[in-house]
Amino acid sequence: MRIDIISVAPNLLESPFNHSIIKRAQDKGLAEIVIHDLRKFGLGNYKQIDDTQFGGGAGMVLMIEPISNCIKQLLVERNYDEVIYMTPDAKTLNQSTANTLSLKENILILTGHYKGVDQRIRDKYITKEISIGDYVLTGGELAAAVLVDAVVRLIPGVIGDEQSALTDSFQDNLLSPPVYTRPAEFEGMKVPDVLLSGNFPKIDDWRSNQAYKRTQQIRPDLLKDE
Ligand code: ADE
């Protein structure tokens, strides 16, 4: 999968993609992540990328020309299955969206800053808008990093143990059951007997029950979505 990201703060995106599983996915050739500095497409000597809003009001807006020029240049090289704009005023990212996106070949992500981007960019180029939650970040970079992490780890071969991604929280709209590892007893706290029983159908049952209970307690809204 190829992921292009347009950003006014490309440095913010370096660290999340250069470590651990996402780095390994790139090293293995399973994901190619390329970051484009919007400033390079800025206008005039000052490389201007933002301006005040028409109609007045606080906050700067990312201008249409730099973004349009950047997207047009990228479109010369390849077509995108989705052109995504990271913004708090959109539907919230969930596992189902991550699953769908992990099957795509080319994705372009535009990250906003300040008051956002000129609406005409959204109207013309954006095919999907994604928020990572009902709060406002200083820019879309960290949101894009969250999206890319959630998507790339689902690409087959990225996580060694395939089962591990499939049994995550949310894959079946349920939170994960509790997990334990050695020692079987620590300061009087014991691992539930069933997990030590070797009876795998019983263990599966217990895990399903626990997942359901946890979801009911912490995120009952997930059960209503079904
Ligand atoms: N940009 C700023 N806040 C955001 C959010 N919550 N989700 C996606 N992009 C954003």
Side-chain angles (χ1 to χ4, degrees):
M1 172 189 278
R2 159 104 181 192
I3 302 172
D4 288 280
I5 305 174
I6 303 173
S7 162
V8 301
N11 294 350
L12 269 178
L13 287 167
E14 267 167 28
S15 177
F17 303 144
N18 283 321
H19 300 281
S20 186
I21 291 173
I22 306 304
K23 163 99 164 48
R24 257 180 280 139
Q26 293 171 88
D27 293 344
K28 284 195 214 165
L30 297 169
E32 187 184 6
I33 303 171
V34 184
I35 298 160
H36 305 275
D37 185 355
L38 186 64
R39 186 68 63 177
K40 290 202 181 123
F41 297 84
L43 306 181
N45 287 343
Y46 293 103
K47 297 284 173 199
Q48 185 183 2
I49 52 171
D50 58 354
D51 207 340
T52 52
Q53 340 185 15
F54 279 127
M60 304 293 273
V61 176
L62 288 175
M63 299 164 81
I64 192 166
E65 292 106 317
I67 299 175
S68 171
N69 289 339
C70 179
I71 293 179
K72 278 180 187 154
Q73 185 174 307
L74 292 172
L75 286 172
V76 172
E77 297 285 322
R78 60 183 52 76
N79 284 319
Y80 292 93
D81 300 304
E82 295 284 5
V83 181
I84 299 167
Y85 176 49
M86 302 309 301
T87 175
D89 51 351
K91 279 204 178 145
T92 318
L93 176 64
N94 60 22
Q95 193 62 41
S96 154
T97 304
N99 288 344
T100 307
L101 290 174
S102 73
L103 303 172
K104 308 286 182 194
E105 219 163 287
N106 299 316
I107 292 176
L108 174 57
I109 303 174
L110 172 65
T111 61
H113 249 261
Y114 320 117
K115 271 284 166 204
V117 300
D118 189 303
Q119 179 61 36
R120 290 166 291 182
I121 284 289
R122 295 167 78 161
D123 296 342
K124 177 153 187 196
Y125 291 109
I126 301 300
T127 60
K128 200 174 195 57
E129 301 193 331
I130 297 179
S131 163
I132 62 158
D134 292 339
Y135 43 81
V136 181
L137 303 167
T138 53
E141 284 77 13
L142 296 180
V146 167
L147 174 65
V148 169
D149 189 293
V151 169
V152 168
R153 64 189 291 283
L154 294 170
I155 298 171
V158 168
I159 292 187
D161 177 3
E162 296 271 334
Q163 272 308 101
S164 164
L166 293 176
T167 57
D168 285 336
S169 277
F170 301 113
Q171 278 301 1
D172 44 12
N173 250 14
L174 292 176
L175 303 187
S176 289
V179 291
Y180 300 86
T181 186
R182 274 181 279 269
E185 184 172 344
F186 178 74
E187 295 181 355
M189 293 182 290
K190 287 185 179 158
V191 170
D193 284 339
V194 59
L195 295 179
L196 309 175
S197 69
N199 182 339
F200 294 104
K202 218 170 143 194
I203 291 174
D204 279 349
D205 261 8
W206 181 85
R207 286 183 171 149
S208 302
N209 259 324
Q210 291 288 319
Y212 188 80
K213 262 195 208 154
R214 256 194 184 177
T215 311
Q216 215 171 24
Q217 246 170 28
I218 304 169
R219 292 290 307 276
D221 54 303
L222 291 175
L223 298 172
K224 282 189 203 112
D225 282 355
E226 280 181 288

